[in-house]
Amino acid sequence: MNRVTLRIPVPLQEFTGGRETLTVGGNSVREVLAAAGEANPGLLARILTPEGERRPFVNVFVGETNVRQMQDLDTPVSDGDEVHVIAAVAGG
């Protein structure tokens, strides 16, 4: 299993005890998020729908590439990758 760094945006850090980064294991973005959610109750519900899909206002990147341009949550990750969760900001 690969070890990756998961970067958490400020609005979701309340679910990680204030931590900006988590080191978690997984072979895909879905597995990385599941591992982070298991260790940090409430986090996964803010990133994924109840059906297990990425919420529309949440972007996830592996390195500098949006997973929407790859295999979405099934995008594979490698040991040492950085996965970034970015919550969309709107205003008006």
Side-chain angles (χ1 to χ4, degrees), residues 67-85:
V67 298
R68 292 175 197 240
Q69 300 168 339
M70 300 167 82
Q71 297 171 33
D72 211 334
L73 296 177
D74 296 320
T75 299
V77 295
S78 299
D79 203 44
D81 277 351
E82 284 196 0
V83 176
H84 303 260
V85 175

Side-chain angles (χ1 to χ4, degrees), residues 12-89:
L12 299 181
Q13 290 176 15
E14 69 181 277
F15 302 101
T16 64
R19 292 174 291 171
E20 178 182 338
T21 62
L22 304 171
T23 301
V24 294
N27 294 313
S28 69
V29 170
R30 186 181 307 276
E31 290 178 9
V32 166
L33 294 175
E38 187 174 314
N40 299 277
L43 177 65
L44 199 56
R46 301 318 188 277
I47 299 171
L48 302 180
T49 66
E51 295 77 30
E53 297 304 318
R54 185 183 30 74
R55 290 190 179 277
F57 58 85
V58 174
N59 290 301
V60 179
F61 287 75
V62 175
E64 296 181 2
T65 305
N66 192 322
V67 298
R68 292 175 197 240
Q69 300 168 339
M70 300 167 82
Q71 297 171 33
D72 211 334
L73 296 177
D74 296 320
T75 299
V77 295
S78 299
D79 203 44
D81 277 351
E82 284 196 0
V83 176
H84 303 260
V85 175
I86 301 173
V89 178

